[in-house]
Amino acid sequence: GNSVTQMEGPVTLSEEAFLTINCTYTATGYPSLFWYVQYPGEGLQLLLKATKADDKGSNKGFEATYRKETTSFHLEKGSVQVSDSAVYFCALEGGYNKLIFGAGTRLAVHP
Amino acid sequence: EAQVTQNPRYLITVTGKKLTVTCSQNMNHEYMSWYRQDPGLGLRQIYYSMNVEVTDKGDVPEGYKVSRKEKRNFPLILESPSPNQTSLYFCASSLLGTGTNTEAFFGQGTRLTVV
């Protein structure tokens, strides 16, 4: 069945450090892929998405590229800020609007 | 402002006492769903609805009910809550479709504790 695996957290970084959060997936076909972010006390918000192989999603300095060869969709940012501290979820579209989520990765950025 | 509104945000209840968590969206979305979020498990779908009077089970439906009498509302009902339903619950809505249409909008969550 479809599934998403994310690197375990928490990830702790200093401000301006480079961020990578790994995400790999198992799926039939080539589903759309998403990164959602959950700030403390809030619901999830879409951060970026990619709908086909080799697409790069980007938003707020974050990027992720849909790699069908490695079935991966790793999230990267060149220089993190304290305000990026949140939980990040990788997800895929499991058909009929259903989202299948990874376990989430907590990011803490310190000044 | 486009939004999904859940109520209440926090709820503590006792085992067996029926409760309802409300969810409303103002974006005219056809698709609505409920998820529960548990540590280490991410979000898992409980129930979903593709339109008025059309609902179906997700991955973890046991112990829950839903209804969709109006397009904007999708309440989650726990007829006899148990402690293993202690969790953080999210309602979400989206346009019906695939790919770019699948962007889901989430409510702020309801933290439920069953004692």
Side-chain angles (χ1 to χ4, degrees):
Chain A
N2 296 335
S3 65
V4 175
T5 302
Q6 283 181 242
M7 64 185 289
E8 289 189 22
V11 174
T12 304
L13 295 172
S14 299
E15 208 165 23
E16 299 184 2
F18 184 85
L19 169 71
T20 300
I21 300 178
N22 291 337
C23 171
T24 57
Y25 66 90
T26 301
T28 304
Y30 303 106
S32 295
L33 300 173
F34 305 85
W35 277 100
Y36 279 83
V37 58
Q38 183 180 29
Y39 298 106
E42 298 184 11
L44 282 73
Q45 306 172 22
L46 180 65
L47 180 60
L48 54 84
K49 64 186 177 187
T51 58
K52 61 183 187 294
D54 299 325
D55 266 3
K56 177 185 283 188
S58 61
N59 186 26
K60 299 182 181 179
F62 290 89
E63 294 183 340
T65 300
Y66 191 139
R67 305 275 189 208
K68 68 176 183 178
E69 303 84 5
T70 53
T71 61
S72 65
F73 192 55
H74 305 322
L75 182 68
E76 296 181 337
K77 187 175 185 182
S79 176
V80 293
Q81 305 300 312
V82 172
S83 57
D84 294 325
S85 298
V87 181
Y88 293 81
F89 291 93
C90 185
L92 66 81
E93 180 203 348
Y96 296 108
N97 287 66
K98 178 181 179 178
L99 289 170
I100 296 171
F101 289 90
T105 302
R106 183 175 298 278
L107 170 66
V109 180
H110 298 291
Chain B
E1 180 190 354
Q3 59 185 6
V4 178
T5 304
Q6 288 179 235
N7 280 296
R9 293 287 309 276
Y10 302 92
L11 180 59
I12 301 175
T13 190
V14 296
T15 299
K17 184 176 181 181
K18 180 180 178 179
L19 66 92
T20 300
V21 184
T22 63
C23 173
S24 181
Q25 51 94 3
N26 63 0
M27 295 167 279
N28 203 35
H29 286 163
E30 299 94 352
Y31 189 91
M32 297 185 74
S33 59
W34 278 100
Y35 293 86
R36 60 179 287 173
Q37 182 182 0
D38 300 293
L41 297 176
L43 280 79
R44 294 176 293 166
Q45 192 182 58
I46 302 170
Y47 266 95
Y48 66 93
S49 169
M50 290 192 178
N51 216 323
V52 175
E53 302 291 2
V54 181
T55 63
D56 208 344
K57 297 177 181 178
D59 295 320
V60 287
E62 293 77 20
Y64 305 94
K65 287 175 57 178
V66 293
S67 69
R68 188 93 180 271
K69 294 185 171 59
E70 303 166 286
K71 195 171 187 179
R72 63 184 292 122
N73 295 325
F74 190 47
L76 179 69
I77 303 156
L78 285 72
E79 294 267 357
S80 182
S82 62
N84 64 11
Q85 293 178 296
T86 293
S87 187
L88 180 58
Y89 291 87
F90 287 101
C91 180
S93 74
S94 61
L95 291 169
L96 192 63
T98 59
T100 55
N101 279 347
T102 316
E103 177 178 351
F105 294 81
F106 285 80
Q108 289 192 293
T110 296
R111 184 166 294 282
L112 171 65
T113 302
V114 184
V115 298

